[in-house]
Amino acid sequence: MSVEPDDHGLGRSRGGLTSKVHLAVTASMHVLAVIVTAGQRGDAPQFLPLMQRIRVGRPAGGRPRTRPDHVLADRAYSSRAIRSDLRRRGIAHTIPEKQDQAGHRLRRGSAGGRPPSFDAERYKARHKVECRIGLLKQARGVATRHDKLACRYEATIQVTLIRQYL
């Protein structure tokens, strides 16, 4: 985290002051990128910054990979901007369409376009992100967040990820 946010990654939500941890995870449950935001912040605006943080080193050296082969995401990331960005970068994706978006598309008739493709079998692998978040929250410092500063909380997450990896 380069600059400490004014809200320190804390925000009012239904449960009081909370934080959200956004993760990009591989199929083998290795974390590629982490972003900490305030609890009331939406998920979709954090998608593009999260994708920009992905850096996977190559074994033979050279420029790191920044483009995943496929992206699995839940309904919160179903927006025209995210889909068009993934399409522009040539990244295949499996993101379910929200009910209201499907209704708007159907209401427009033939001008609404065709529905985005969705592979239900492939989407079943998305549980790995939820499992990784659960594994991450086994660490008391991550689950309870007693740190005031967001940079310190993100460092706690990074240390926890390293400890769990080793």
Side-chain angles (χ1 to χ4, degrees):
M1 180 172 285
S2 60
V3 178
E4 183 68 29
D6 293 334
D7 59 6
H8 298 289
L10 287 170
R12 292 255 174 234
S13 188
R14 289 184 183 203
L17 285 174
T18 59
S19 297
K20 272 189 187 174
V21 178
H22 305 271
L23 295 178
V25 178
T26 65
S28 57
M29 292 178 48
H30 294 294
V31 177
L32 298 174
V34 177
I35 292 182
V36 176
T37 61
Q40 81 275 10
R41 297 271 172 92
D43 292 334
Q46 303 308 318
F47 184 80
L48 297 178
L50 188 66
M51 293 294 287
Q52 290 170 353
R53 285 190 178 193
I54 294 176
R55 300 276 182 271
V56 179
R58 296 178 190 265
R63 193 175 51 126
R65 279 191 66 184
T66 59
R67 193 176 70 91
D69 295 329
H70 197 92
V71 171
L72 300 174
D74 62 359
R75 287 189 203 294
Y77 299 100
S78 176
S79 73
R80 186 175 292 157
I82 289 173
R83 288 181 195 276
S84 65
D85 183 67
L86 291 172
R87 201 173 307 114
R88 181 184 58 79
R89 293 179 62 192
I91 301 172
H93 62 277
T94 303
I95 304 173
E97 190 177 24
K98 290 182 180 176
Q99 296 292 332
D100 63 335
Q101 289 175 349
H104 295 314
R105 184 179 42 75
L106 291 173
R107 208 172 6 248
R108 293 187 65 199
S110 61
R114 60 178 192 229
S117 63
F118 179 72
D119 184 5
E121 280 302 310
R122 189 164 213 167
Y123 187 71
K124 289 179 182 179
R126 204 194 70 76
H127 78 282
K128 293 180 181 181
V129 175
E130 303 300 333
C131 291
R132 191 65 182 106
I133 290 173
L135 188 63
L136 185 63
K137 288 189 176 182
Q138 285 181 1
R140 184 182 302 173
V142 176
T144 57
R145 181 169 179 182
H146 292 295
D147 302 314
K148 179 185 181 223
L149 301 177
C151 61
R152 195 163 294 154
Y153 182 58
E154 191 168 337
T156 302
I157 292 171
Q158 295 293 340
V159 168
T160 301
L161 289 171
I162 291 168
R163 192 185 80 233
Q164 289 175 349
Y165 181 75
L166 295 176

